[in-house]
């Protein structure tokens, strides 16, 4: 995972702490730290909240890679 994850860039640009982001999406500060460092990928409910919170600036492809995110999007569209 790259050093400056898009979630971290977004968070810093909006002057938020990891704890504040966690509160907005319903998880812990530690989880946000792990998402930003690439040690953990958010589960679907948190990922959805991150995408909404960031107005699409941070997407599933930031964790999954573009090809995998496209597969997920196609499966969700056909469900």
């Amino acid at each position: 995972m790259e050093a400056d994850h898009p979630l971290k860039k977004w968070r810093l640009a909006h002057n938020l702490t990891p704890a504040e982001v966690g509160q907005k999406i319903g998880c812990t500060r530690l989880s946000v730290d792990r998402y930003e460092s690439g040690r953990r990928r958010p589960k679907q409910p948190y990922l959805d909240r991150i995408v909404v919170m960031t107005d699409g600036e941070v997407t599933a492809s930031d964790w999954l890679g573009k090809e995998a995110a496209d597969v997920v999007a196609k499966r969700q569209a056909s469900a």
Side-chain angles (χ1 to χ4, degrees), residues 2-70:
E2 58 193 44
D4 288 329
H5 191 276
L7 178 58
K8 184 173 184 177
K9 288 180 183 179
W10 182 89
R11 177 178 62 76
L12 293 173
H14 290 82
N15 297 315
L16 296 171
T17 66
E20 290 168 326
V21 170
Q23 185 176 27
K24 288 179 180 289
I25 64 171
C27 71
T28 65
R29 175 205 56 82
L30 183 59
S31 290
V32 173
D33 287 339
R34 289 178 177 161
Y35 300 158
E36 290 180 349
S37 69
R39 289 179 297 187
R40 182 182 290 170
R41 181 174 56 218
K43 292 188 179 184
Q44 195 64 47
Y46 302 111
L47 182 55
D48 292 344
R49 293 174 196 152
I50 290 168
V51 172
V52 170
M53 176 184 68
T54 64
D55 291 326
E57 289 181 46
V58 181
T59 65
S61 64
D62 293 317
W63 284 278
L64 302 175
K66 176 143 176 46
E67 290 178 21
D70 289 345

Side-chain angles (χ1 to χ4, degrees), residues 70-79:
D70 289 345
V71 169
V72 169
K74 285 179 186 176
R75 283 187 183 165
Q76 289 176 341
S78 67

